[in-house]
Structure formats: structure tokens, C-alpha cells
């Protein structure tokens, strides 16, 4: 066969042998060899092909396919600006430790730097945000090159999955693939080199080790301290979060946790809101705060870690992204590897100190218990959370929605898997990520997104008639803009003049009409009862439920919630 066809087929064949089962393809000419190879693998049932017209959405779709499955998903593009459109998802995968394979077709070296159409410098385009970047040799002599193509596939999967370093080191990998004409499949050659066919019995060319378990590795166990508060932030996998919560349970330590999979009896309800009662917290200070992962929601936890005399220790999950370990407040006195959360011996009952905080958490939960049917951001998150079926995934968009669940729900249900994209916490690509998440699971999936988050990735609704379609319900909290900014300093009365235009940026978009243009059914819910009924009903394909709320009321609602918490804990701020 012609060299370009051979190069593409060998590479994709080897990736499938190594466990890749999902590939997202964007149309293009230079990537034609990869497109034909992917089509044939899809027809043979060896992988599932998804075709998208927007590279940015395609990359986030691949990210969603890999996010909880932890199996690397691939995205294929042609050369030029198509490659640059992958960068937002690359950054999210980098900081969120999501295994992502970027297969970018390229012009051969002789067509670079000479004014050739759609040619730019692609090798190194993602800088240090990829775990591995390889430019494969331009196919010319398949008999000689095939072993190197298969080895490159193994290196790519090992780096993307963290097979040699642990799940915390998983992330994006870039393979730049130059192809010369002819790009369409040609006639089969006679007596090809054995490497073109691969190892017998579909075995991989290089057998890789399984990624180490999250607690593998040598490390001194983190010591017990009866006055420890544990903070669980963003972590790469559900296994990391489970290990963090298990360590807290074992030591009887109470936990402030960001939304995520898994629950614990020691997670404080509305934990970050409890920290608003600064007088009470000051009278019940821990001697040590153990931060596991990256806190990403709000300023309460960083403010606590700046308390003079408070010892802060950080547990890192490997090398997540470029951050090393999470210490934005620059207060950490010690850093521990994740294996330090290994538990030995008999566990502790909740310490007396933890019981004081847990009692305070119950008082806060009682004071914030919902009354009436008024819909705001926390009420929408609460209604969706309570209505999703057991075994469902609940995907939360970035910005306000990720906070709304913690403010609206005292404790996450054991039977609901909460998923967020908090690697960089961008609002871009969330529709596509939710679609990918839904396609990677067998159970129901519900996404709750703000209106700007939804509109920013409206192209995620572009799913062609021949493509696999997920069963996904998208709940859009429509406050006609970014109401989260009203809760920050920009929302002060004296800055009200430019606030709307510069920060909340209302669009006036009719979401139901937009969905209709994509052939996606959409409806509006105006009560918690309506919303619950719609979310509880199984979805066939993608559907959208719009919930209008008053964004202007968010700042005042937040102030009243903080006052309620303070009053519940003694009435002094």
C-alpha cells in the first residue's frame, strides 16, 4: 500500500492493540490516511469512531470519553489551525490528568517554511502541556519504519495513562504525523514486512505495565493528629478521592470536600460555607490542615490556610499538570506523596474535635434546609441531584454550577457519581465533555451547566446523523449571563455601572430556538417539581432543559446564606 496509508493503518492498529477504543475525527485532507484507517477499524468493530466538524469541541469530546473511563481517547485533525483548536482541551487534560491522544496530520518537512498552504510549525505547538511530544518520520519505507511506528504508539499510551508513573501523571500526548501524497488508500503490496501486520493474536508490539495503583510507592504514612481538618480538592480519579476519604475515616478526621465521586460520614455539609463563620472557626481552629489535591472553589480554604500558627500539609497525587503540589497560598509546611495516605492498623472513631465540627455542620445544614419552591442556582443543583436515578453521573459545569451543588446539597448521594472539569475550570468545552462522558458510560448522565457555559460550546450539539448519540440530559441554569461575577468584588454597588457589559455579559439568546436549529429537543422548567420530573425521566438522545433564574439575586442570596451560617453557629461573624 502507499506509504501514508501504511503509516496511518499501522499506528492506529497498534493503538487499538494497546487499548484505545474511542477516536474522534475532524474532517480534512492531510489527515485522510488516518480517516480511512479509523473508518476501517470502526467497521471491524475494533474501535468506535465519532466525527465532529469543530476541532475544539472534538477534543473536549475525547476528553469526556477518557475522563472517568481512564482509557485514552484519540482525536485526529488535519494540519494548520485545526491543531491549535485542540489547545483548550489539552490544557484541561494536562491539569486534570486525563489521558488524551492528539494525532495531528502534518505537511512533510519539505512543505514547511516555504509558504505551502495550511502549513505551520506543529511539532512543539503544545509546549510543556503534554506528557510526550513525538514527530514521527514521514512514511516512505513502511518495511523499515513500521516497528518504529508501533513503538511510538506504545510510548504514547504509556505516557498518556501514566503507566510508568501513576494515574496522577496521566495526561495529553501529541503525535505529529507528516504525510506525503498520495493520501488516499492504494493497492496492497506483496509480502509486507511482518511489522505491518503486527504481533500475532492481536498482541501489542510492546507490552506495557498497568498504571500503578494510587497508593503504590514507598512513603512514610501520614501521622495521626486528633485536631486535623482534611481538605479534599480536585483529584485525577475516583480512586484518588476514595483513598483520601478513607484516610480521613481511618483517622476520624472531618473533611471539607469539593463536589466529586464518593462520600464519607465525615464530610461536612456545606463545608466552605461553614468557614464563613470566622469567629466560630477561630475558636475551633485545627492544629493541622491536610490538603489533598487542588482546592479550586472559592477563597474560604486559602483564607483558612493563611491563619497564623496553623500547620498546613499537602498531599500530591504525583505530578498533576505543571503544578507539582497545590499551595496557592504559599503556606505549606510539608509535602507528602499520595502513598502517605496508606492506612495501617485499626481505624479511629471520629475524634472529639471532629465531632465538634460535625455538630456545627449539622446545625448549618438545618439552617440552610430548603423551604418553598423558589428556583435559584443551588435549588436547581439540588433538584437535579435528587432526581437523577441511582447509578447516574451528574456532570457539573464550571463557574457557578460547581459551587451551587455544595451550597444546595448537604450531602451527595452515594448512588450518584459527581463529575467536574476542574483541571483549569474553564467554561469552554463543557457540552462536548458531557457528551463524551455520557458516551463512555452505560448508565444515565445529566449535566448541569450555566447558560454562558452552554452557549460557549453550542457546537457540542453538532452531532451528525451517522454518529453515536448519547442519552444525555443537559440542564441549563439560564440567568442570561455570568452571575458569578456579581458575587465577587466587581458586583459591589459602586461598580454597578460597567458590571453588566464587562462581566455578566448577557446575550439574550433563545436557548430553545438554538437547540431547535440543531434538532435537539428543549423545554423550559419553571419549578423544582417540573425540573425533577424532567430529570427523572430517561433521555433518548440529547435533550435540554432550560431553567430561568434571576442572576441579579445571586449576590444577595450568598450574603443571606453566610449570615444564616453565622447565626446558626452563635450569631457572631
Amino acid at each position: 500500500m502507499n506509504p501514508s496509508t501504511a503509516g496511518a493503518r499501522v499506528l492506529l492498529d497498534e493503538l487499538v492493540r494497546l487499548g484505545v477504543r474511542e477516536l474522534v475525527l475532524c474532517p480534512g485532507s492531510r489527515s485522510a490516511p488516518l480517516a480511512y484507517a479509523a473508518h476501517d477499524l470502526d467497521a471491524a468493530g475494533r474501535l468506535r469512531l465519532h466525527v465532529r466538524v469543530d476541532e475544539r469541541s472534538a477534543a473536549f469530546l475525547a476528553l469526556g470519553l477518557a475522563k472517568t473511563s481512564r482509557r485514552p481517547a484519540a482525536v485526529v485533525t488535519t494540519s494548520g489551525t485545526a491543531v491549535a483548536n485542540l489547545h483548550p482541551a489539552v490544557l484541561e487534560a494536562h491539569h486534570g490528568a486525563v489521558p488524551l491522544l492528539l494525532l495531528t496530520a502534518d505537511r512533510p518537512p519539505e512543505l514547511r517554511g516555504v509558504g505551502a498552504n495550511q502549513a505551520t510549525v506543529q511539532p512543539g505547538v503544545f509546549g510543556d502541556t503534554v506528557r510526550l511530544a513525538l514527530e514521527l518520520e514521514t512514511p516512505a519505507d513502511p518495511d523499515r519504519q513500521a516497528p518504529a511506528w508501533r513503538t511510538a504508539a506504545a510510548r504514547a499510551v504509556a505516557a498518556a495513562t501514566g503507566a510508568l508513573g501513576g494515574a496522577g501523571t496521566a495526561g495529553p500526548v501529541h503525535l505529529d504525523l507528516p504525510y506525503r501524497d498520495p493520501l488516499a488508500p492504494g493497492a496492497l503490496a506483496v509480502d509486507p514486512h511482518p511489522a505491518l501486520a503486527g504481533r500475532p493474536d492481536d498482541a501489542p508490539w510492546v507490552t506495557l505495565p498497568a498504571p500503578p495503583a494510587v497508593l503504590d510507592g514507598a512513603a512514610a504514612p501520614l501521622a495521626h493528629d486528633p485536631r486535623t481538618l482534611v481538605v479534599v480538592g480536585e483529584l485525577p480519579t475516583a480512586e484518588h478521592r476514595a483513598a483520601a476519604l478513607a484516610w480521613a475515616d481511618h483517622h476520624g478526621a472531618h473533611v471539607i470536600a469539593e463536589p466529586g465521586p464518593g462520600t464519607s460520614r465525615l464530610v461536612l455539609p456545606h463545608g466552605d460555607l461553614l468557614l464563613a463563620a470566622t469567629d466560630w472557626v477561630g475558636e475551633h481552629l485545627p492544629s493541622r490542615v491536610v490538603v489533598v489535591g487542588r482546592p479550586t472553589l472559592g477563597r474560604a480554604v486559602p483564607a483558612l490556610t493563611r491563619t497564623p500558627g496553623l500547620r498546613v500539609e499537602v498531599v500530591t497525587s504525583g505530578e498533576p499538570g505543571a503544578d507539582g503540589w497545590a499551595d496557592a497560598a504559599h503556606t505549606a509546611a510539608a509535602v507528602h506523596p499520595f502513598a502517605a495516605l496508606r492506612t495501617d492498623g485499626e481505624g479511629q472513631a471520629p475524634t472529639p474535635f471532629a465531632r465538634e465540627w460535625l455538630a456545627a455542620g449539622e446545625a448549618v445544614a438545618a439552617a440552610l434546609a430548603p423551604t418553598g419552591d423558589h428556583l435559584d442556582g443551588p435549588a436547581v443543583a439540588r433538584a437535579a441531584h435528587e432526581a437523577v436515578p441511582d447509578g447516574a453521573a451528574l456532570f457539573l459545569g464550571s463557574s457557578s454550577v460547581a459551587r451551587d451543588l455544595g451550597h444546595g446539597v448537604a450531602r451527595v448521594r452515594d448512588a450518584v457519581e459527581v463529575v467536574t472539569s476542574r483541571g483549569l475550570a474553564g467554561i469552554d468545552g463543557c457540552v462536548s465533555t458531557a457528551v463524551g462522558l455520557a458516551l463512555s458510560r452505560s448508565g444515565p448522565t445529566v449535566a448541569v451547566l450555566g447558560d454562558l457555559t452552554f452557549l460557549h460550546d453550542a457546537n457540542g450539539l453538532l452531532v451528525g446523523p451517522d454518529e453515536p448519540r448519547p442519552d444525555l440530559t443537559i440542564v441549563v441554569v439560564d440567568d442570561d449571563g455570568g452571575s458569578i461575577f456579581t458575587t465577587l468584588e466587581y458586583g459591589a454597588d459602586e461598580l454597578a455601572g460597567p458590571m453588566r457589559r464587562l462581566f455578566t455579559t448577557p446575550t439574550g439568546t433563545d436557548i430553545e430556538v438554538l437547540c431547535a436549529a440543531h434538532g435537539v429537543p428543549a423545554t423550559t422548567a419553571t419549578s423544582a417539581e417540573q425540573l425533577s420530573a424532567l430529570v427523572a425521566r430517561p433521555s433518548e438522545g440529547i435533550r435540554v432543559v432550560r431553567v430561568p433564574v434571576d442572576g441579579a439575586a445571586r449576590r444577595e442570596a450568598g450574603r443571606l446564606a453566610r449570615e444564616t451560617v453565622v447565626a446558626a453557629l452563635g450569631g457572631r461573624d
Side-chain angles (χ1 to χ4, degrees):
M1 62 189 76
N2 68 58
S4 293
T5 296
R9 289 187 175 179
V10 168
L11 179 67
L12 293 194
D13 174 74
E14 190 63 26
L15 288 175
V16 169
R17 290 168 184 251
L18 290 162
V20 174
R21 295 292 179 269
E22 307 280 2
L23 185 144
V24 186
L25 170 72
C26 298
S29 178
R30 190 59 49 169
S31 54
L34 292 164
Y36 283 114
H39 175 271
D40 291 347
L41 289 168
D42 180 70
R46 296 182 65 199
L47 62 67
R48 184 165 57 165
L49 176 63
H50 312 264
V51 180
R52 295 296 187 274
V53 299
D54 179 336
E55 286 84 4
R56 188 184 72 173
S57 292
F60 278 107
L61 172 62
L63 185 141
L65 288 162
K67 188 166 182 61
T68 60
S69 72
R70 307 306 299 172
R71 190 191 290 267
V75 57
V76 171
T77 75
T78 191
S79 62
T81 58
V83 180
N85 281 306
L86 305 179
H87 213 148
V90 171
L91 290 171
E92 176 63 31
H94 169 55
H95 289 277
V98 179
L100 187 65
L101 298 175
L102 317 163
L103 311 182
T104 62
D106 200 353
R107 262 55 182 172
E110 65 270 16
L111 292 183
R112 299 179 198 163
V114 295
N117 184 44
Q118 218 168 317
T120 188
V121 180
Q122 292 178 195
V125 68
F126 301 114
D128 294 333
T129 60
V130 290
R131 301 295 182 267
L132 176 69
L134 294 176
E135 180 184 8
L136 272 61
E137 187 180 9
T138 305
D141 181 0
D143 281 355
R144 174 182 62 81
Q145 295 170 301
W149 295 334
R150 292 193 182 274
T151 299
R155 293 182 185 278
V157 170
T161 59
L164 303 180
T169 65
V173 166
H174 181 204
L175 297 184
D176 197 61
L177 310 171
Y179 294 124
R180 292 190 180 97
D181 294 339
L183 301 172
L188 291 175
V190 179
D191 297 327
H193 186 281
L196 286 172
R199 304 255 186 233
D201 302 321
D202 287 331
W205 195 258
V206 178
T207 300
L208 300 175
V214 296
L215 293 179
D216 278 0
L222 197 57
H224 177 72
D225 180 334
R227 295 181 64 85
T228 290
L229 166 64
V230 178
V231 173
V232 177
E234 174 75 0
L235 286 163
T237 70
E239 290 75 19
H240 283 88
R241 184 177 171 94
L245 295 178
W247 185 90
D249 277 352
H250 185 83
H251 288 267
H254 52 299
V255 180
I256 292 177
E258 296 191 3
T263 59
S264 164
R265 62 199 170 101
L266 294 179
V267 172
L268 294 165
H270 312 297
D272 66 324
L273 284 177
L274 191 155
L275 296 181
T278 52
D279 276 351
W280 186 92
V281 172
E283 294 167 359
H284 298 79
L285 275 177
S287 60
R288 177 179 69 169
V289 173
V290 173
V291 179
V292 187
R294 295 185 304 114
T296 66
L297 298 178
R299 303 174 180 180
V301 168
L304 175 65
T305 64
R306 294 188 186 99
T307 304
L310 181 64
R311 181 173 176 82
V312 178
E313 300 187 25
V314 173
V315 177
T316 177
S317 58
E319 293 295 329
D323 304 325
W325 64 85
D327 182 26
H330 307 291
T331 55
V335 178
H336 305 277
F338 206 82
L341 295 181
R342 184 181 291 108
T343 55
D344 298 314
E346 207 169 309
Q348 307 264 348
T351 66
F353 181 63
R355 286 198 292 269
E356 290 179 1
W357 276 73
L358 289 167
E362 294 302 329
V364 168
L368 293 176
T371 57
D373 197 35
H374 172 69
L375 278 180
D376 58 7
V380 172
R382 180 171 56 250
H385 167 263
E386 292 174 354
V388 293
D390 287 352
L394 181 62
F395 179 79
L396 304 177
S398 293
S399 198
S400 295
V401 168
R403 295 156 174 84
D404 285 342
L405 186 74
H407 293 178
V409 174
R411 286 189 173 84
V412 173
R413 290 164 50 199
D414 286 338
V416 176
E417 181 182 12
V418 176
V419 183
T420 60
S421 276
R422 303 295 299 174
L424 276 190
I427 68 168
D428 46 345
C430 284
V431 173
S432 298
T433 302
V435 170
L437 175 67
L439 284 166
S440 73
R441 305 178 74 259
S442 57
T445 303
V446 174
V448 183
L449 311 177
D451 58 299
L452 289 187
T453 301
F454 176 77
L455 294 173
H456 202 286
D457 191 29
N459 274 1
L461 300 177
L462 283 170
V463 183
D466 300 324
E467 302 310 310
R469 300 185 76 87
D471 294 330
L472 171 67
T473 298
I474 302 175
V475 177
V476 179
V477 186
D478 185 5
D479 54 16
D480 195 23
S483 65
I484 189 172
F485 291 107
T486 67
T487 68
L488 304 175
E489 52 267 40
Y490 325 112
D493 290 342
E494 60 270 21
L495 297 175
M499 175 72 189
R500 177 178 166 87
R501 184 180 183 194
L502 298 183
F503 293 100
T504 57
T505 57
T507 67
T509 300
D510 188 323
I511 287 174
E512 290 192 38
V513 171
L514 173 67
C515 292
H518 291 289
V520 173
T523 189
T524 293
T526 57
S527 70
E529 184 179 8
Q530 283 183 312
L531 174 60
S532 297
L534 289 165
V535 170
R537 191 180 71 206
S539 174
E540 295 183 3
I542 302 174
R543 62 171 177 170
V544 172
V545 180
R546 170 183 168 267
V547 186
V549 302
D550 182 6
R554 184 178 285 276
R555 183 179 181 91
E556 179 65 10
R559 185 188 67 80
L560 290 174
R562 290 189 294 273
E563 287 184 356
T564 300
V565 169
V566 171
L569 297 181
R572 293 183 297 118
D573 190 359

